[in-house]
Amino acid sequence: MMASNRDYMPGDRFTITFTTAAHMEGLWHHCGSFDNISAGKTAYEALIASDIAEGEGQGQSLIGCRWRLTRERGSEVMETVFDRVFGATGLIDLATPATVTT
């Protein structure tokens, strides 16, 4: 279920995680947590752009690389805000982004 902005509460965290097709299934790397959606979204977009530029610059295949921005409350993931994977044709959105205001 996608939450709306009215569901955001003080204490919610926005967390970026990353995995690749080469990693063990279910293994995600924590890339950072933020107190608000604006900071989380900005960092998420910057991380993806940086990873793509670095991978292409080193001649690495990025196919299967996946990035998520989730909203968490305590230890529970409340929603996936963004979920993108790099496929053969480029970056693909896997989740419809929640309505986000900055």
Side-chain angles (χ1 to χ4, degrees), residues 20-95:
T20 72
H23 286 134
M24 180 174 62
E25 187 174 337
L27 177 65
W28 290 79
H29 297 278
H30 179 267
C31 299
S33 292
F34 304 88
D35 292 334
N36 63 67
I37 186 68
S38 181
K41 183 176 183 256
T42 299
Y44 178 78
E45 297 294 343
L47 177 67
I48 291 174
S50 173
D51 284 354
I52 290 172
E54 181 179 345
E56 289 176 346
Q58 295 178 5
Q60 298 174 351
S61 172
L62 296 170
I63 294 175
C65 292
R66 188 171 177 182
W67 301 263
R68 282 187 183 160
L69 177 64
T70 56
R71 178 173 61 97
E72 300 171 357
R73 186 174 298 151
S75 61
E76 183 178 357
V77 175
M78 303 301 291
E79 72 176 306
T80 299
V81 181
F82 295 106
D83 187 359
R84 296 182 180 145
V85 65
F86 199 87
T89 59
L91 206 54
I92 303 164
D93 285 320
L94 298 177

